[in-house]
């Protein structure tokens, strides 16, 4: 079984550890959070020409009401 306790104060952790020791619990592992983990940020593909995307609905124009009607149609 795994139980997760998030403790913000070091004194609280000491109190809990003393409680667990008084209960004679032996399988206790303390894992500290990894706050220094950097997010995985990658640069985008700048070789794509965005001008090619303009006019994709030229043959079938849409307005915001059409998009909303199709997106929020939950009667199906």
């Amino acid at each position: 079984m795994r139980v997760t306790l998030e403790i913000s104060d070091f004194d609280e952790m000491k109190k809990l550890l003393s409680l667990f020791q008084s209960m004679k619990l032996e399988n206790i592992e303390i894992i500290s959070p990894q706050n220094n983990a950097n997010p995985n940020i990658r640069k985008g593909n700048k070789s794509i020409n965005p001008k090619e995307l303009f006019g994709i609905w030229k043959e079938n124009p849409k307005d915001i009401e059409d998009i909303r009607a199709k997106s929020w149609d939950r009667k199906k």
Side-chain angles (χ1 to χ4, degrees):
M1 174 175 36
R2 176 176 284 204
V3 176
T4 303
L5 301 172
E6 293 186 17
I7 302 171
S8 60
D9 190 7
F10 187 72
D11 291 331
E12 289 180 11
M13 185 182 74
K14 284 183 182 179
K15 291 175 187 175
L16 274 174
L17 282 177
S18 65
L19 173 68
F20 292 149
Q21 289 171 349
S22 68
M23 296 170 61
K24 306 222 189 251
L25 297 176
E26 298 174 0
N27 297 329
I28 296 175
E29 181 181 359
I30 298 174
I31 302 172
S32 63
Q34 298 177 358
N35 293 336
N36 58 355
N38 294 330
N40 185 10
I41 299 174
R42 291 180 284 140
K43 294 199 176 208
N45 184 357
K46 305 250 187 217
S47 66
I48 297 174
N49 184 7
K51 290 184 180 179
E52 295 173 0
L53 295 174
F54 293 117
I56 58 175
W57 287 324
K58 180 171 53 175
E59 302 298 320
N60 188 12
K62 298 184 183 287
D63 62 359
I64 192 69
E65 294 302 320
D66 293 337
I67 295 170
R68 284 184 180 149
K70 288 183 181 178
S71 296
W72 294 100
D73 187 20
R74 304 204 189 263
K75 296 175 188 171
K76 295 179 182 178

